[in-house]
Structures are given as structure tokens and as C-alpha cells.
Amino acid sequence: MSLLNIIVFRHFSFDDPSVIVSWSKQAGHDLIVHDPANGIPPEWLHSLDLLVIQGGPMSIYQETEYPWLIQEKHFVRDVIEAGKKVLGICLGAQMIAEILGGTVSPIGANKEIGWHQIYRNKERHPWLAQLPEHFISFSWHGDTFSMPEGARHLMYSEACGQQAFAYGDHVLALQFHLESTPDCIEEMLSRWSHELIDLSFIQQDAGIREGMNHSEPANRLLKGILDQIALSISESADESVLSS
């Protein structure tokens, strides 16, 4: 299998990319974790094989408050148009949706925080080959997206109809957080406890802590997705060699 150059965009200091980092290290891939607020080297567009866009407490339409979002969106658009593999998580999924022509807006009373069931629909995608028909994942989001034209809707939850989509054979957007670790969740609970208001799909801190045992199985599901992405890149490279 080909060794990959992977860039991970992390949008806040205590977000935890450790699941992605450990998977990459075990496979021997090269990986850089980078905060796009510090600028994005343009040469990465040509050198990367996989871009992973993690979540963040900001909304993708807050360009006035976070002006670096403008450059990040331009870069992600260029990566998608170049046919590179892209995995977007939460904020990353919303960014991809907007770039592809969808809209992103507050989800209102269906804001999702805590451990929730995610359901697959009848659409199949090779990167999801190792996922069961339903599973529990951590969620923390107040925005949702509309489905971009040409995208394939893949998953939903009770609170949110748009949980995942694919675009072409090289872009996957996930609203939920398979990558979340107990340490990161504890930090979120400490810093953002004011968001745990009494709404139908917001769990309180005790319930979230009781569900921490779901973290490890969710992490394994993410590694399965990453395995399939790596396999697809390797197969594409082999096809290019054979056709040259």
C-alpha cells in the first residue's frame, strides 16, 4: 500500500487528532497537524494525498470574526477540484457542503450534544465498508448543512437528517465525531458547559461521562474509514502506473 502525505487541519488547541495520528504512524504515513489560522503553504496543494478537516467552535459563516476561514475555504476548494482525497468532520463537513454549493445554518432546537445513534441509509460507499448499519458516535454541533447538488446522502440521526455525504469518489463529509477521545470531551465539558441547556438532543455532563465507553469503538470505526481511504489512494496509484 502506498505511503501517504496527510495534512490535518485543527481549529482549536485542545482538539485531539491522536486517533488519526496513531493510525498514520502505525501505517508509516507522513502527517502534519496544522492550524489554518496560521496560514496555509500553497505547495501543500500538490504534495498532499489526504486532507482531513477537523471540527471547531466557530461557524463557517463567521468570516468576519475568523478571517482565516476565507483562505482555508479557497484551499479546500482547490484540493477538491484537484481530485485529492478529503475527509471533513463537523466544521469540516459544513465547510465542504458550503464550498460545493450547499447552505449552512443553525440547527435550532435540534442541536446535538452527546452520544447519539447514527444510522446509514441505503446508499453504499466504499470508504464506509467497515461501518455497521447503525452505531453510536459523539456529537457537538449547533449548525447543519443542506445537501450539495451532486452529493450522495449517506447517514442521518434522530435529531439531524444530514449526518454524512460523499461527493464524487474522493470527498467524504461527516457531521459527527468518531475521533473524539475522553480527554478532549472532558475539556469540552469544562470549557463549554454553558451549552448544555435543556433540549431534547443535548445530554448533560453526567450522561456524557457515562457514555465515554463508546469512544474506543467509535475511534476504531474512524480507523476503518481511514484504512479504506488509504486503500483507494493505493489502488488509484496502481491504476496510474498500469495505464502509463
Side-chain angles (χ1 to χ4, degrees), residues 59-70 73 98:
S59 295
I60 59 98
Y61 43 79
Q62 292 182 303
E63 294 178 354
T64 301
E65 297 92 334
Y66 305 96
W68 49 265
L69 280 168
I70 298 171
K73 290 177 185 180
E98 184 195 73

Side-chain angles (χ1 to χ4, degrees), residues 20-47:
I20 304 169
V21 171
S22 65
W23 169 85
S24 176
K25 184 176 182 180
Q26 185 174 14
H29 302 310
D30 291 326
L31 181 143
I32 296 172
V33 178
H34 180 71
D35 184 347
N38 296 325
I40 303 172
E43 60 269 20
W44 282 356
L45 173 62
H46 306 289
S47 63

Side-chain angles (χ1 to χ4, degrees), residues 95-111:
M95 183 177 294
I96 292 169
E98 184 195 73
I99 288 169
L100 295 176
T103 59
V104 178
S105 58
I107 198 171
N110 285 356
K111 186 172 184 176

Side-chain angles (χ1 to χ4, degrees), residues 129-236:
Q130 298 183 29
L131 262 65
E133 293 304 302
H134 58 87
F135 52 90
I136 294 176
S137 178
F138 190 69
S139 294
W140 194 308
H141 70 106
D143 288 335
T144 187
F145 51 80
S146 66
M147 196 62 52
E149 184 176 354
R152 295 163 56 193
H153 182 213
L154 299 171
M155 302 184 205
Y156 63 95
S157 69
E158 186 180 355
C160 182
Q162 318 293 6
Q163 286 286 351
F165 69 86
Y167 182 77
D169 62 356
H170 63 297
V171 178
L172 179 65
L174 307 177
Q175 180 63 77
F176 46 90
H177 291 278
L178 293 175
E179 83 287 358
S180 290
T181 61
D183 286 347
C184 182
I185 294 170
E186 284 288 356
E187 191 68 28
M188 294 166 77
L189 291 174
S190 173
R191 295 182 183 233
W192 301 334
S193 61
H194 62 279
E195 295 193 31
L196 303 181
I197 59 178
D198 187 17
L199 289 175
S200 298
F201 300 103
I202 296 180
Q203 296 173 1
Q204 299 306 300
D205 53 359
I208 291 173
R209 289 189 172 98
E210 287 174 4
M212 291 292 196
N213 61 304
H214 297 302
S215 178
E216 187 173 340
N219 295 167
R220 288 198 296 269
L221 293 180
L222 176 60
K223 289 181 178 181
I225 293 172
L226 293 168
D227 284 341
Q228 295 302 311
I229 295 174
L231 178 62
S232 72
I233 296 172
S234 182
E235 290 174 344
S236 296

Side-chain angles (χ1 to χ4, degrees), residues 67-119:
W68 49 265
L69 280 168
I70 298 171
Q71 184 192 23
E72 182 176 2
K73 290 177 185 180
H74 284 306
F75 182 81
V76 174
R77 180 186 299 278
D78 289 343
V79 171
I80 292 173
E81 290 180 349
K84 302 298 185 80
K85 310 300 184 185
V86 181
L87 173 63
I89 299 171
C90 199
L91 178 75
Q94 294 159 14
M95 183 177 294
I96 292 169
E98 184 195 73
I99 288 169
L100 295 176
T103 59
V104 178
S105 58
I107 198 171
N110 285 356
K111 186 172 184 176
E112 252 180 332
I113 299 177
W115 301 98
H116 295 279
Q117 284 278 356
I118 307 296
Y119 301 91

